[in-house]
Amino acid sequence: MIRISQLKLPFDHKEEDLRNAIEKTLKGQQILSYRIIKQSIDSREKYSMGYQYSVDVSIKGNEGKAVKSFRNKKLSVVKEEHYVFPWKTDQVPDKPPVIVGTGPAGLFCGLLLARAGLRPVLIERGQSVEKRQEDVEYFWKTGILNPSSNVQFGEGGAGTFSDGKLNTLVKDKYLRNTKVLEEFVAHGAPEDILWLSKPHIGTDLLIHVVKAIREEIIALGGQVLFDTQMTDLIIREGKLEAVLLQSGQILPADHLVVAIGHSARDTFAMLHEKGLTMERKSFAVGVRMEHRREDINDSQYKVDWRTYGLPTASYKLTHQASNGRGIYSFCMCPGGFVVNASSEPGRLAINGMSNHDRMADNSNTALIVTVTPEDYGGEGPLSGVEFQRKLEEAAFHLCDGKIPVQRYEDFKENRPSDHFGMIKPSMKGAFDFANVRECLPDYVTESLLEGIEAFGDKIKGYNHPDSLLSGIESRTSSPVRIVRDEHLESNIKGIFPCGEGAGYAGGITSAAMDGIRIAEEIAKRLIGE
């Protein structure tokens, strides 16, 4: 294949224009086929903004010789590669692998193990994605929380009720990232996630994709058990023997994948009591900030985005505060909603969510400040969990369980808001006016104030008095890492910590990739050896 990089076309180009540009670049060559590898928006120059492509082209004849003849640095020869899972068996195992959690880590681990013939058993404390959607909508409407089925718990994991963002900074040396995207497309996601520079699916579509993955696991002989919580383990001489469920059922198991997500605090406690080596880790806390979607678009695009039908704009911001802490945007949701993402009674946490079209009135992001174990006020590996809980309790009591919201001008003046200005909230769940500073540590507030003013120099109107802040954003990543060795196994033999909750991922794609890694290790042990 010949890869053409930095192929630029205007925003209003047609599909045939891309073909013509390829033919012009490879003039004289017979083109057999081509596929888009990447599409991004080039906004460096106002009068030359457009889409920039990388495409792989198959031609008739010697591709290496053709590339040399053009002497064009934007051309290279690449080998078409695909991820291959190397193990498969027809023998049904006496003790199938058990996977706890059906977020992206658990689902992808289960999918590949099922295809390998190992008939995994997936257990999920929450509900199927269909029932979970009903529970979440009911909570947003009534404020009545189901602690086992909510934005954090249930099939698909916490990422299901977010933006469905699929970008990751993890290097794709082994093609696992590509595999994740291809599987999402095979199960119903839009094909453009394979080439967009910032791919996303959206909550409204991701729900159907998750269901399709589950249905394939079952069709291959796997089991998916909902409303089923792991409550204990049987361990003898440092090795796992069985998993105990809340129902009293015992599942014999030699291989347990712990893909529990970052909010399974009671499970963290149980695993700690059973002797798994764990350590606390840094994460970040802060607020959600909302601006009008159209204002962000106007600032980010140097052309009339309405004329060209450009997608809702995103952004990424970072700042090093004078107090030494980093502040940065996280999980930015273009044209989305701030959502009540609580999972424990008497505690409140928020998140961001977008549908596929990203056309809600506001765009929002988490603005978060780094916190370290020295901030937690405790010594044990679960002290970060207790730190989160204290912040969430303070947020809950600000508005009796409603999302506390505040204009930025009032946040600066340290007073509760009593009216909205030009920006009205785009929220899922009840909200009320409050002084959001009252649920934040002082060093977080100081960092936010400095950072938001600095961001106003980067995005016009970012520090507008009517911009909205809400709290508290506390579930950015796991405050715990369950230690594993070079073979991905914990100090208890047979237990494999996996994904974001275990401290080895940071989003849908990286969690799914980690699930694939665990599947490879288990299949190698059960089949390869």
Side-chain angles (χ1 to χ4, degrees), residues 48-65:
S48 63
M49 284 185 67
Y51 287 114
Q52 186 165 276
Y53 289 91
S54 291
V55 294
D56 282 357
V57 186
S58 175
I59 66 169
K60 186 176 182 179
N62 189 308
E63 293 174 343
K65 185 177 180 180

PDB file of all heavy atoms in Angstrom, residues 48-65:
ATOM      1  N   SER A  48      -6.699  28.873   4.439  1.00  0.00           N
ATOM      2  CA  SER A  48      -6.433  27.567   3.842  1.00  0.00           C
ATOM      3  C   SER A  48      -6.971  26.439   4.717  1.00  0.00           C
ATOM      4  O   SER A  48      -6.543  25.306   4.599  1.00  0.00           O
ATOM      5  CB  SER A  48      -4.926  27.374   3.631  1.00  0.00           C
ATOM      6  OG  SER A  48      -4.237  27.390   4.871  1.00  0.00           O
ATOM      7  N   MET A  49      -7.902  26.782   5.611  1.00  0.00           N
ATOM      8  CA  MET A  49      -8.471  25.748   6.456  1.00  0.00           C
ATOM      9  C   MET A  49      -9.214  24.725   5.612  1.00  0.00           C
ATOM     10  O   MET A  49      -9.816  25.052   4.596  1.00  0.00           O
ATOM     11  CB  MET A  49      -9.442  26.354   7.476  1.00  0.00           C
ATOM     12  CG  MET A  49      -8.777  27.062   8.649  1.00  0.00           C
ATOM     13  SD  MET A  49      -9.989  27.611   9.856  1.00  0.00           S
ATOM     14  CE  MET A  49     -10.588  26.048  10.472  1.00  0.00           C
ATOM     15  N   GLY A  50      -9.159  23.493   6.052  1.00  0.00           N
ATOM     16  CA  GLY A  50      -9.863  22.436   5.358  1.00  0.00           C
ATOM     17  C   GLY A  50      -9.645  21.117   6.057  1.00  0.00           C
ATOM     18  O   GLY A  50      -9.128  21.062   7.181  1.00  0.00           O
ATOM     19  N   TYR A  51     -10.050  20.052   5.411  1.00  0.00           N
ATOM     20  CA  TYR A  51      -9.812  18.707   5.932  1.00  0.00           C
ATOM     21  C   TYR A  51      -8.466  18.205   5.430  1.00  0.00           C
ATOM     22  O   TYR A  51      -8.105  18.406   4.270  1.00  0.00           O
ATOM     23  CB  TYR A  51     -10.919  17.758   5.488  1.00  0.00           C
ATOM     24  CG  TYR A  51     -12.233  17.982   6.189  1.00  0.00           C
ATOM     25  CD1 TYR A  51     -13.344  18.441   5.491  1.00  0.00           C
ATOM     26  CD2 TYR A  51     -12.361  17.723   7.553  1.00  0.00           C
ATOM     27  CE1 TYR A  51     -14.555  18.651   6.138  1.00  0.00           C
ATOM     28  CE2 TYR A  51     -13.566  17.929   8.202  1.00  0.00           C
ATOM     29  CZ  TYR A  51     -14.662  18.395   7.494  1.00  0.00           C
ATOM     30  OH  TYR A  51     -15.851  18.598   8.140  1.00  0.00           O
ATOM     31  N   GLN A  52      -7.739  17.542   6.320  1.00  0.00           N
ATOM     32  CA  GLN A  52      -6.464  16.936   5.962  1.00  0.00           C
ATOM     33  C   GLN A  52      -6.583  15.428   6.098  1.00  0.00           C
ATOM     34  O   GLN A  52      -7.070  14.932   7.115  1.00  0.00           O
ATOM     35  CB  GLN A  52      -5.347  17.472   6.860  1.00  0.00           C
ATOM     36  CG  GLN A  52      -3.964  16.996   6.456  1.00  0.00           C
ATOM     37  CD  GLN A  52      -2.873  17.815   7.115  1.00  0.00           C
ATOM     38  OE1 GLN A  52      -2.489  18.883   6.632  1.00  0.00           O
ATOM     39  NE2 GLN A  52      -2.383  17.327   8.232  1.00  0.00           N
ATOM     40  N   TYR A  53      -6.131  14.704   5.074  1.00  0.00           N
ATOM     41  CA  TYR A  53      -6.306  13.254   5.022  1.00  0.00           C
ATOM     42  C   TYR A  53      -4.966  12.536   4.984  1.00  0.00           C
ATOM     43  O   TYR A  53      -3.975  13.043   4.431  1.00  0.00           O
ATOM     44  CB  TYR A  53      -7.086  12.851   3.763  1.00  0.00           C
ATOM     45  CG  TYR A  53      -8.542  13.216   3.762  1.00  0.00           C
ATOM     46  CD1 TYR A  53      -8.972  14.436   3.236  1.00  0.00           C
ATOM     47  CD2 TYR A  53      -9.500  12.345   4.271  1.00  0.00           C
ATOM     48  CE1 TYR A  53     -10.312  14.774   3.220  1.00  0.00           C
ATOM     49  CE2 TYR A  53     -10.842  12.669   4.255  1.00  0.00           C
ATOM     50  CZ  TYR A  53     -11.247  13.887   3.738  1.00  0.00           C
ATOM     51  OH  TYR A  53     -12.582  14.201   3.729  1.00  0.00           O
ATOM     52  N   SER A  54      -4.981  11.324   5.536  1.00  0.00           N
ATOM     53  CA  SER A  54      -3.995  10.306   5.212  1.00  0.00           C
ATOM     54  C   SER A  54      -4.774   9.157   4.588  1.00  0.00           C
ATOM     55  O   SER A  54      -5.799   8.727   5.149  1.00  0.00           O
ATOM     56  CB  SER A  54      -3.252   9.828   6.457  1.00  0.00           C
ATOM     57  OG  SER A  54      -2.421  10.832   6.969  1.00  0.00           O
ATOM     58  N   VAL A  55      -4.316   8.667   3.445  1.00  0.00           N
ATOM     59  CA  VAL A  55      -5.024   7.588   2.760  1.00  0.00           C
ATOM     60  C   VAL A  55      -4.022   6.520   2.340  1.00  0.00           C
ATOM     61  O   VAL A  55      -2.854   6.815   2.034  1.00  0.00           O
ATOM     62  CB  VAL A  55      -5.801   8.100   1.517  1.00  0.00           C
ATOM     63  CG1 VAL A  55      -6.930   9.025   1.929  1.00  0.00           C
ATOM     64  CG2 VAL A  55      -4.866   8.791   0.541  1.00  0.00           C
ATOM     65  N   ASP A  56      -4.464   5.280   2.370  1.00  0.00           N
ATOM     66  CA  ASP A  56      -3.669   4.162   1.855  1.00  0.00           C
ATOM     67  C   ASP A  56      -4.235   3.751   0.505  1.00  0.00           C
ATOM     68  O   ASP A  56      -5.449   3.512   0.374  1.00  0.00           O
ATOM     69  CB  ASP A  56      -3.703   2.982   2.826  1.00  0.00           C
ATOM     70  CG  ASP A  56      -2.781   3.195   4.018  1.00  0.00           C
ATOM     71  OD1 ASP A  56      -2.083   4.220   4.052  1.00  0.00           O
ATOM     72  OD2 ASP A  56      -2.781   2.335   4.921  1.00  0.00           O
ATOM     73  N   VAL A  57      -3.359   3.651  -0.480  1.00  0.00           N
ATOM     74  CA  VAL A  57      -3.771   3.412  -1.863  1.00  0.00           C
ATOM     75  C   VAL A  57      -3.089   2.140  -2.400  1.00  0.00           C
ATOM     76  O   VAL A  57      -1.889   1.944  -2.212  1.00  0.00           O
ATOM     77  CB  VAL A  57      -3.389   4.605  -2.762  1.00  0.00           C
ATOM     78  CG1 VAL A  57      -3.948   4.407  -4.164  1.00  0.00           C
ATOM     79  CG2 VAL A  57      -3.895   5.916  -2.160  1.00  0.00           C
ATOM     80  N   SER A  58      -3.874   1.326  -3.032  1.00  0.00           N
ATOM     81  CA  SER A  58      -3.344   0.151  -3.715  1.00  0.00           C
ATOM     82  C   SER A  58      -3.290   0.457  -5.205  1.00  0.00           C
ATOM     83  O   SER A  58      -4.267   0.930  -5.790  1.00  0.00           O
ATOM     84  CB  SER A  58      -4.226  -1.072  -3.460  1.00  0.00           C
ATOM     85  OG  SER A  58      -3.789  -2.188  -4.196  1.00  0.00           O
ATOM     86  N   ILE A  59      -2.121   0.213  -5.825  1.00  0.00           N
ATOM     87  CA  ILE A  59      -1.963   0.475  -7.260  1.00  0.00           C
ATOM     88  C   ILE A  59      -1.543  -0.810  -7.968  1.00  0.00           C
ATOM     89  O   ILE A  59      -1.117  -1.783  -7.344  1.00  0.00           O
ATOM     90  CB  ILE A  59      -0.923   1.572  -7.524  1.00  0.00           C
ATOM     91  CG1 ILE A  59       0.478   1.087  -7.104  1.00  0.00           C
ATOM     92  CG2 ILE A  59      -1.292   2.866  -6.832  1.00  0.00           C
ATOM     93  CD1 ILE A  59       1.609   1.993  -7.565  1.00  0.00           C
ATOM     94  N   LYS A  60      -1.645  -0.807  -9.265  1.00  0.00           N
ATOM     95  CA  LYS A  60      -1.176  -1.924 -10.068  1.00  0.00           C
ATOM     96  C   LYS A  60       0.315  -1.717 -10.348  1.00  0.00           C
ATOM     97  O   LYS A  60       0.734  -0.667 -10.811  1.00  0.00           O
ATOM     98  CB  LYS A  60      -1.951  -1.998 -11.386  1.00  0.00           C
ATOM     99  CG  LYS A  60      -1.611  -3.226 -12.222  1.00  0.00           C
ATOM    100  CD  LYS A  60      -2.485  -3.298 -13.468  1.00  0.00           C
ATOM    101  CE  LYS A  60      -2.162  -4.557 -14.284  1.00  0.00           C
ATOM    102  NZ  LYS A  60      -3.031  -4.656 -15.497  1.00  0.00           N
ATOM    103  N   GLY A  61       1.093  -2.714  -9.980  1.00  0.00           N
ATOM    104  CA  GLY A  61       2.524  -2.597 -10.215  1.00  0.00           C
ATOM    105  C   GLY A  61       3.321  -2.514  -8.930  1.00  0.00           C
ATOM    106  O   GLY A  61       2.794  -2.716  -7.830  1.00  0.00           O
ATOM    107  N   ASN A  62       4.587  -2.197  -9.052  1.00  0.00           N
ATOM    108  CA  ASN A  62       5.522  -2.150  -7.931  1.00  0.00           C
ATOM    109  C   ASN A  62       5.349  -0.851  -7.163  1.00  0.00           C
ATOM    110  O   ASN A  62       5.709   0.233  -7.658  1.00  0.00           O
ATOM    111  CB  ASN A  62       6.957  -2.289  -8.450  1.00  0.00           C
ATOM    112  CG  ASN A  62       7.958  -2.468  -7.327  1.00  0.00           C
ATOM    113  OD1 ASN A  62       7.988  -1.698  -6.378  1.00  0.00           O
ATOM    114  ND2 ASN A  62       8.799  -3.490  -7.451  1.00  0.00           N
ATOM    115  N   GLU A  63       4.839  -0.959  -5.957  1.00  0.00           N
ATOM    116  CA  GLU A  63       4.530   0.241  -5.173  1.00  0.00           C
ATOM    117  C   GLU A  63       5.792   0.936  -4.675  1.00  0.00           C
ATOM    118  O   GLU A  63       5.880   2.163  -4.650  1.00  0.00           O
ATOM    119  CB  GLU A  63       3.610  -0.123  -4.004  1.00  0.00           C
ATOM    120  CG  GLU A  63       2.226  -0.570  -4.482  1.00  0.00           C
ATOM    121  CD  GLU A  63       1.338  -1.074  -3.375  1.00  0.00           C
ATOM    122  OE1 GLU A  63       1.854  -1.394  -2.287  1.00  0.00           O
ATOM    123  OE2 GLU A  63       0.110  -1.152  -3.594  1.00  0.00           O
ATOM    124  N   GLY A  64       6.793   0.149  -4.245  1.00  0.00           N
ATOM    125  CA  GLY A  64       8.039   0.748  -3.793  1.00  0.00           C
ATOM    126  C   GLY A  64       8.729   1.539  -4.891  1.00  0.00           C
ATOM    127  O   GLY A  64       9.225   2.648  -4.662  1.00  0.00           O
ATOM    128  N   LYS A  65       8.753   0.979  -6.071  1.00  0.00           N
ATOM    129  CA  LYS A  65       9.370   1.659  -7.213  1.00  0.00           C
ATOM    130  C   LYS A  65       8.608   2.941  -7.557  1.00  0.00           C
ATOM    131  O   LYS A  65       9.214   3.970  -7.886  1.00  0.00           O
ATOM    132  CB  LYS A  65       9.388   0.708  -8.416  1.00  0.00           C
ATOM    133  CG  LYS A  65      10.102   1.248  -9.631  1.00  0.00           C
ATOM    134  CD  LYS A  65      10.131   0.202 -10.751  1.00  0.00           C
ATOM    135  CE  LYS A  65      10.846   0.740 -11.980  1.00  0.00           C
ATOM    136  NZ  LYS A  65      10.881  -0.266 -13.088  1.00  0.00           N
TER     137      LYS A  65
END
